[in-house]
Amino acid sequence: MTIRSRFAPSPTGYLHVGGARTALFSWLYARKHGGTFILRIEDTDLERSTPESVNAILEGMAWLGLDYDEGPFYQTQRFDRYKALIAQLLDEGKAYPCYCSRETLDQMREEQMAKKEKPRYDGRCRHLTSPPHGITPVVRFRNPDEGEVVIEDLVKGDIVVRNGELDDLIIARSDGSPTYNFTVVVDDLEMEVSHVIRGDDHVNNTPRQINILKALGASLPLYAHVPMILGSDGARLSKRHGAVSVLQYRDEGYLPEALLNYLVRLGWSHGDQEIFSIDEMIQAFDIPNINCSASTFNPEKLLWLNHHYIMHGDPVHVAHHLRWHLGQCGVDPSQGPDPVAVVKAQRERNKTLLDMAHSSLFFYRDFEEYDEKAAQKNLTRDALQGLQTLMSPLEALRPWVRESIHDVIVATAESLGVKMGVIAQPLRVAVSGTTVSPPIDLTLEILGKEKTIERLHKACAWINSTAR
Ligand code: GLU
């Protein structure tokens, strides 16, 4: 069987982690089986769909590296196809026009509720002989009355729904526009989707979709409904649980591979393995090991994984993402030290690339002010002699490498009869503006000689001017 899977988001908001996980599972399944992964934008809800949201989906997918082989297809560009198939179903008597007004439907509903029945359309327009004048009808799908629909769900097992529980679904609104359940069916059919992998919030739609597929004479795709993601309080994951948008994770300094690794384990397992490279995920992924129950989003674990990938990832790759963050902070990383060296120096103490970018800005641009406490404690009259004494041996130093910088600092401390920290900490504040930086010799190596000397002069002038 040729595997064709799809991700079919509605562009009505950002790409959230739940959607990204669905996309990932569908993508992995296609990649594992050498199949085709399709991206389809379900933008028929003209009021709620926005171009910004389409962009967020495309940007999020690109950032995650979830590439698609076909698409993006836009449902709004396929209205002619939907309309043709609605006409076909009408011709074949498998759908019918319905003229019921809102008031009629409300009344029907109230009467059913009063009789403690489940509210549903009672099919009264199925056999209309003389349609009323002056009303543009909707089109309803004639659902079978008898029998049952079986969803052979690859995650949940068989789900059986009696046709008697399903009513005649509207497939075209009175303006002729097709409705969601119909467009999904037509697209899954015409795009020859073999596997519908999606959130289990859609499981109630599936029996209706199966009936429409059958009416169109189609064979059924296989379904895999993936359980929801919950927040730590057990409620469905939403904005109030913190960041849930993929691009927000990018902006907050997460690596795409960390987010993917986190998402793949959210509702799927492979023994007790926690760390998966993309290739390992593709190798190991399978549908039977998707959990049947909902999973809980754990931001601490995601942060832990992010730090893991920052620490153990190829520094060249990590630096690629760091460059982007530096750019976002308004610095041009090409006008300063190689970000690869910065990553190597900074990765231990930064769990996100945003933190790394912020704590590395001093390598790329002069800071306006010293951290107040750091300066108060370290840039004092007592520190002045150390800083001044460092200046000429550092200026004379060639090559400008960590080991010899270290030797200069040690020799300076010895010559002044003080501990190394007495020299190193004011030096750190002088060059970085704060008390936190990589080891001081490495910090100076990366910063470069010229900047180091310049900042030493500046710090000495500052101490003199503040006269403490
Ligand atoms: N467009 C639907 C959504 O964003 C998904 C439909 C589907 O996967 O079948 O929830």
Side-chain angles (χ1 to χ4, degrees), residues 31-51:
R31 292 289 169 266
K32 179 180 172 106
H33 295 283
T36 301
F37 178 61
I38 302 163
L39 177 63
R40 181 169 83 220
I41 306 289
E42 304 206 319
D43 56 350
T44 53
D45 184 341
L46 300 178
E47 268 166 29
R48 294 180 59 223
S49 301
T50 64

PDB file of all heavy atoms in Angstrom, residues 31-51:
ATOM      1  N   ARG A  31       7.148   9.372   6.314  1.00  0.00           N
ATOM      2  CA  ARG A  31       8.590   9.232   6.098  1.00  0.00           C
ATOM      3  C   ARG A  31       9.051   7.803   6.378  1.00  0.00           C
ATOM      4  O   ARG A  31       9.878   7.260   5.668  1.00  0.00           O
ATOM      5  CB  ARG A  31       9.360  10.215   6.999  1.00  0.00           C
ATOM      6  CG  ARG A  31       9.169  11.678   6.611  1.00  0.00           C
ATOM      7  CD  ARG A  31       9.877  11.996   5.293  1.00  0.00           C
ATOM      8  NE  ARG A  31       9.500  13.317   4.760  1.00  0.00           N
ATOM      9  CZ  ARG A  31       8.513  13.506   3.876  1.00  0.00           C
ATOM     10  NH1 ARG A  31       7.828  12.496   3.399  1.00  0.00           N
ATOM     11  NH2 ARG A  31       8.239  14.723   3.441  1.00  0.00           N
ATOM     12  N   LYS A  32       8.513   7.205   7.415  1.00  0.00           N
ATOM     13  CA  LYS A  32       8.924   5.841   7.768  1.00  0.00           C
ATOM     14  C   LYS A  32       8.616   4.863   6.630  1.00  0.00           C
ATOM     15  O   LYS A  32       9.381   3.960   6.361  1.00  0.00           O
ATOM     16  CB  LYS A  32       8.187   5.395   9.026  1.00  0.00           C
ATOM     17  CG  LYS A  32       8.540   3.970   9.428  1.00  0.00           C
ATOM     18  CD  LYS A  32       7.818   3.540  10.672  1.00  0.00           C
ATOM     19  CE  LYS A  32       8.045   2.073  10.923  1.00  0.00           C
ATOM     20  NZ  LYS A  32       8.958   1.816  12.004  1.00  0.00           N
ATOM     21  N   HIS A  33       7.490   5.103   5.960  1.00  0.00           N
ATOM     22  CA  HIS A  33       7.079   4.138   4.943  1.00  0.00           C
ATOM     23  C   HIS A  33       7.381   4.616   3.522  1.00  0.00           C
ATOM     24  O   HIS A  33       6.826   4.073   2.565  1.00  0.00           O
ATOM     25  CB  HIS A  33       5.579   3.842   5.094  1.00  0.00           C
ATOM     26  CG  HIS A  33       5.275   3.154   6.393  1.00  0.00           C
ATOM     27  ND1 HIS A  33       5.524   1.821   6.598  1.00  0.00           N
ATOM     28  CD2 HIS A  33       4.800   3.624   7.567  1.00  0.00           C
ATOM     29  CE1 HIS A  33       5.188   1.490   7.838  1.00  0.00           C
ATOM     30  NE2 HIS A  33       4.746   2.571   8.448  1.00  0.00           N
ATOM     31  N   GLY A  34       8.232   5.623   3.409  1.00  0.00           N
ATOM     32  CA  GLY A  34       8.575   6.128   2.078  1.00  0.00           C
ATOM     33  C   GLY A  34       7.337   6.656   1.358  1.00  0.00           C
ATOM     34  O   GLY A  34       7.227   6.581   0.138  1.00  0.00           O
ATOM     35  N   GLY A  35       6.387   7.162   2.125  1.00  0.00           N
ATOM     36  CA  GLY A  35       5.133   7.625   1.544  1.00  0.00           C
ATOM     37  C   GLY A  35       5.135   9.114   1.241  1.00  0.00           C
ATOM     38  O   GLY A  35       6.194   9.756   1.138  1.00  0.00           O
ATOM     39  N   THR A  36       3.947   9.665   1.101  1.00  0.00           N
ATOM     40  CA  THR A  36       3.786  11.068   0.720  1.00  0.00           C
ATOM     41  C   THR A  36       3.069  11.802   1.846  1.00  0.00           C
ATOM     42  O   THR A  36       2.073  11.309   2.372  1.00  0.00           O
ATOM     43  CB  THR A  36       2.932  11.136  -0.567  1.00  0.00           C
ATOM     44  OG1 THR A  36       3.624  10.389  -1.570  1.00  0.00           O
ATOM     45  CG2 THR A  36       2.734  12.571  -1.036  1.00  0.00           C
ATOM     46  N   PHE A  37       3.592  12.962   2.196  1.00  0.00           N
ATOM     47  CA  PHE A  37       2.979  13.777   3.248  1.00  0.00           C
ATOM     48  C   PHE A  37       2.399  15.029   2.590  1.00  0.00           C
ATOM     49  O   PHE A  37       3.084  15.730   1.846  1.00  0.00           O
ATOM     50  CB  PHE A  37       4.036  14.132   4.299  1.00  0.00           C
ATOM     51  CG  PHE A  37       3.516  15.018   5.403  1.00  0.00           C
ATOM     52  CD1 PHE A  37       2.490  14.603   6.236  1.00  0.00           C
ATOM     53  CD2 PHE A  37       4.070  16.284   5.610  1.00  0.00           C
ATOM     54  CE1 PHE A  37       2.022  15.425   7.256  1.00  0.00           C
ATOM     55  CE2 PHE A  37       3.613  17.107   6.623  1.00  0.00           C
ATOM     56  CZ  PHE A  37       2.580  16.673   7.451  1.00  0.00           C
ATOM     57  N   ILE A  38       1.128  15.255   2.871  1.00  0.00           N
ATOM     58  CA  ILE A  38       0.390  16.342   2.196  1.00  0.00           C
ATOM     59  C   ILE A  38       0.018  17.421   3.210  1.00  0.00           C
ATOM     60  O   ILE A  38      -0.398  17.099   4.324  1.00  0.00           O
ATOM     61  CB  ILE A  38      -0.919  15.767   1.585  1.00  0.00           C
ATOM     62  CG1 ILE A  38      -0.591  14.631   0.601  1.00  0.00           C
ATOM     63  CG2 ILE A  38      -1.740  16.865   0.917  1.00  0.00           C
ATOM     64  CD1 ILE A  38      -1.781  13.738   0.271  1.00  0.00           C
ATOM     65  N   LEU A  39       0.152  18.672   2.821  1.00  0.00           N
ATOM     66  CA  LEU A  39      -0.330  19.773   3.678  1.00  0.00           C
ATOM     67  C   LEU A  39      -1.556  20.401   3.016  1.00  0.00           C
ATOM     68  O   LEU A  39      -1.512  20.801   1.845  1.00  0.00           O
ATOM     69  CB  LEU A  39       0.760  20.834   3.872  1.00  0.00           C
ATOM     70  CG  LEU A  39       0.308  22.049   4.701  1.00  0.00           C
ATOM     71  CD1 LEU A  39      -0.065  21.660   6.128  1.00  0.00           C
ATOM     72  CD2 LEU A  39       1.399  23.119   4.727  1.00  0.00           C
ATOM     73  N   ARG A  40      -2.622  20.448   3.785  1.00  0.00           N
ATOM     74  CA  ARG A  40      -3.872  20.994   3.250  1.00  0.00           C
ATOM     75  C   ARG A  40      -4.390  22.035   4.232  1.00  0.00           C
ATOM     76  O   ARG A  40      -4.565  21.762   5.412  1.00  0.00           O
ATOM     77  CB  ARG A  40      -4.868  19.854   3.129  1.00  0.00           C
ATOM     78  CG  ARG A  40      -6.180  20.270   2.562  1.00  0.00           C
ATOM     79  CD  ARG A  40      -6.988  19.049   2.221  1.00  0.00           C
ATOM     80  NE  ARG A  40      -7.698  18.501   3.344  1.00  0.00           N
ATOM     81  CZ  ARG A  40      -7.842  17.202   3.599  1.00  0.00           C
ATOM     82  NH1 ARG A  40      -7.284  16.305   2.822  1.00  0.00           N
ATOM     83  NH2 ARG A  40      -8.536  16.794   4.629  1.00  0.00           N
ATOM     84  N   ILE A  41      -4.615  23.226   3.721  1.00  0.00           N
ATOM     85  CA  ILE A  41      -5.087  24.313   4.581  1.00  0.00           C
ATOM     86  C   ILE A  41      -6.611  24.362   4.480  1.00  0.00           C
ATOM     87  O   ILE A  41      -7.156  24.640   3.405  1.00  0.00           O
ATOM     88  CB  ILE A  41      -4.461  25.663   4.134  1.00  0.00           C
ATOM     89  CG1 ILE A  41      -2.917  25.583   4.068  1.00  0.00           C
ATOM     90  CG2 ILE A  41      -4.923  26.803   5.035  1.00  0.00           C
ATOM     91  CD1 ILE A  41      -2.210  25.500   5.381  1.00  0.00           C
ATOM     92  N   GLU A  42      -7.276  24.111   5.575  1.00  0.00           N
ATOM     93  CA  GLU A  42      -8.746  24.026   5.570  1.00  0.00           C
ATOM     94  C   GLU A  42      -9.329  25.400   5.922  1.00  0.00           C
ATOM     95  O   GLU A  42      -9.713  25.675   7.059  1.00  0.00           O
ATOM     96  CB  GLU A  42      -9.199  22.920   6.521  1.00  0.00           C
ATOM     97  CG  GLU A  42      -8.539  21.591   6.119  1.00  0.00           C
ATOM     98  CD  GLU A  42      -9.302  20.347   6.519  1.00  0.00           C
ATOM     99  OE1 GLU A  42      -9.841  20.313   7.629  1.00  0.00           O
ATOM    100  OE2 GLU A  42      -9.357  19.408   5.700  1.00  0.00           O
ATOM    101  N   ASP A  43      -9.364  26.240   4.896  1.00  0.00           N
ATOM    102  CA  ASP A  43      -9.678  27.659   5.102  1.00  0.00           C
ATOM    103  C   ASP A  43     -11.081  28.040   4.647  1.00  0.00           C
ATOM    104  O   ASP A  43     -11.318  29.178   4.254  1.00  0.00           O
ATOM    105  CB  ASP A  43      -8.627  28.514   4.365  1.00  0.00           C
ATOM    106  CG  ASP A  43      -8.533  28.171   2.885  1.00  0.00           C
ATOM    107  OD1 ASP A  43      -9.143  27.156   2.474  1.00  0.00           O
ATOM    108  OD2 ASP A  43      -7.858  28.892   2.141  1.00  0.00           O
ATOM    109  N   THR A  44     -12.011  27.075   4.707  1.00  0.00           N
ATOM    110  CA  THR A  44     -13.361  27.407   4.198  1.00  0.00           C
ATOM    111  C   THR A  44     -14.158  28.284   5.151  1.00  0.00           C
ATOM    112  O   THR A  44     -15.137  28.891   4.746  1.00  0.00           O
ATOM    113  CB  THR A  44     -14.179  26.132   3.920  1.00  0.00           C
ATOM    114  OG1 THR A  44     -14.157  25.342   5.104  1.00  0.00           O
ATOM    115  CG2 THR A  44     -13.617  25.344   2.773  1.00  0.00           C
ATOM    116  N   ASP A  45     -13.757  28.336   6.412  1.00  0.00           N
ATOM    117  CA  ASP A  45     -14.444  29.230   7.345  1.00  0.00           C
ATOM    118  C   ASP A  45     -13.877  30.631   7.122  1.00  0.00           C
ATOM    119  O   ASP A  45     -12.873  31.032   7.706  1.00  0.00           O
ATOM    120  CB  ASP A  45     -14.201  28.756   8.782  1.00  0.00           C
ATOM    121  CG  ASP A  45     -14.968  29.587   9.791  1.00  0.00           C
ATOM    122  OD1 ASP A  45     -15.376  30.713   9.438  1.00  0.00           O
ATOM    123  OD2 ASP A  45     -15.153  29.122  10.924  1.00  0.00           O
ATOM    124  N   LEU A  46     -14.566  31.367   6.217  1.00  0.00           N
ATOM    125  CA  LEU A  46     -13.982  32.632   5.748  1.00  0.00           C
ATOM    126  C   LEU A  46     -13.906  33.670   6.858  1.00  0.00           C
ATOM    127  O   LEU A  46     -13.052  34.557   6.832  1.00  0.00           O
ATOM    128  CB  LEU A  46     -14.786  33.180   4.564  1.00  0.00           C
ATOM    129  CG  LEU A  46     -14.843  32.239   3.347  1.00  0.00           C
ATOM    130  CD1 LEU A  46     -15.704  32.825   2.242  1.00  0.00           C
ATOM    131  CD2 LEU A  46     -13.440  31.929   2.827  1.00  0.00           C
ATOM    132  N   GLU A  47     -14.791  33.549   7.838  1.00  0.00           N
ATOM    133  CA  GLU A  47     -14.764  34.550   8.915  1.00  0.00           C
ATOM    134  C   GLU A  47     -13.612  34.337   9.873  1.00  0.00           C
ATOM    135  O   GLU A  47     -13.039  35.285  10.393  1.00  0.00           O
ATOM    136  CB  GLU A  47     -16.084  34.503   9.693  1.00  0.00           C
ATOM    137  CG  GLU A  47     -17.073  35.478   9.118  1.00  0.00           C
ATOM    138  CD  GLU A  47     -18.474  35.240   9.605  1.00  0.00           C
ATOM    139  OE1 GLU A  47     -18.649  34.740  10.729  1.00  0.00           O
ATOM    140  OE2 GLU A  47     -19.393  35.563   8.836  1.00  0.00           O
ATOM    141  N   ARG A  48     -13.257  33.080  10.115  1.00  0.00           N
ATOM    142  CA  ARG A  48     -12.226  32.822  11.136  1.00  0.00           C
ATOM    143  C   ARG A  48     -10.834  32.585  10.541  1.00  0.00           C
ATOM    144  O   ARG A  48      -9.839  32.673  11.248  1.00  0.00           O
ATOM    145  CB  ARG A  48     -12.649  31.635  11.999  1.00  0.00           C
ATOM    146  CG  ARG A  48     -13.907  31.960  12.821  1.00  0.00           C
ATOM    147  CD  ARG A  48     -14.334  30.789  13.680  1.00  0.00           C
ATOM    148  NE  ARG A  48     -13.287  30.397  14.608  1.00  0.00           N
ATOM    149  CZ  ARG A  48     -12.944  29.138  14.860  1.00  0.00           C
ATOM    150  NH1 ARG A  48     -13.547  28.160  14.250  1.00  0.00           N
ATOM    151  NH2 ARG A  48     -11.993  28.879  15.724  1.00  0.00           N
ATOM    152  N   SER A  49     -10.762  32.280   9.240  1.00  0.00           N
ATOM    153  CA  SER A  49      -9.440  32.021   8.647  1.00  0.00           C
ATOM    154  C   SER A  49      -8.734  33.334   8.333  1.00  0.00           C
ATOM    155  O   SER A  49      -9.359  34.267   7.850  1.00  0.00           O
ATOM    156  CB  SER A  49      -9.587  31.238   7.336  1.00  0.00           C
ATOM    157  OG  SER A  49     -10.245  30.033   7.575  1.00  0.00           O
ATOM    158  N   THR A  50      -7.442  33.390   8.619  1.00  0.00           N
ATOM    159  CA  THR A  50      -6.701  34.619   8.316  1.00  0.00           C
ATOM    160  C   THR A  50      -5.387  34.281   7.598  1.00  0.00           C
ATOM    161  O   THR A  50      -4.819  33.199   7.836  1.00  0.00           O
ATOM    162  CB  THR A  50      -6.321  35.382   9.604  1.00  0.00           C
ATOM    163  OG1 THR A  50      -5.422  34.550  10.367  1.00  0.00           O
ATOM    164  CG2 THR A  50      -7.528  35.726  10.453  1.00  0.00           C
ATOM    165  N   PRO A  51      -4.909  35.212   6.762  1.00  0.00           N
ATOM    166  CA  PRO A  51      -3.608  34.970   6.113  1.00  0.00           C
ATOM    167  C   PRO A  51      -2.474  34.892   7.132  1.00  0.00           C
ATOM    168  O   PRO A  51      -1.514  34.153   6.941  1.00  0.00           O
ATOM    169  CB  PRO A  51      -3.420  36.185   5.183  1.00  0.00           C
ATOM    170  CG  PRO A  51      -4.593  37.072   5.368  1.00  0.00           C
ATOM    171  CD  PRO A  51      -5.562  36.440   6.323  1.00  0.00           C
TER     172      PRO A  51
END
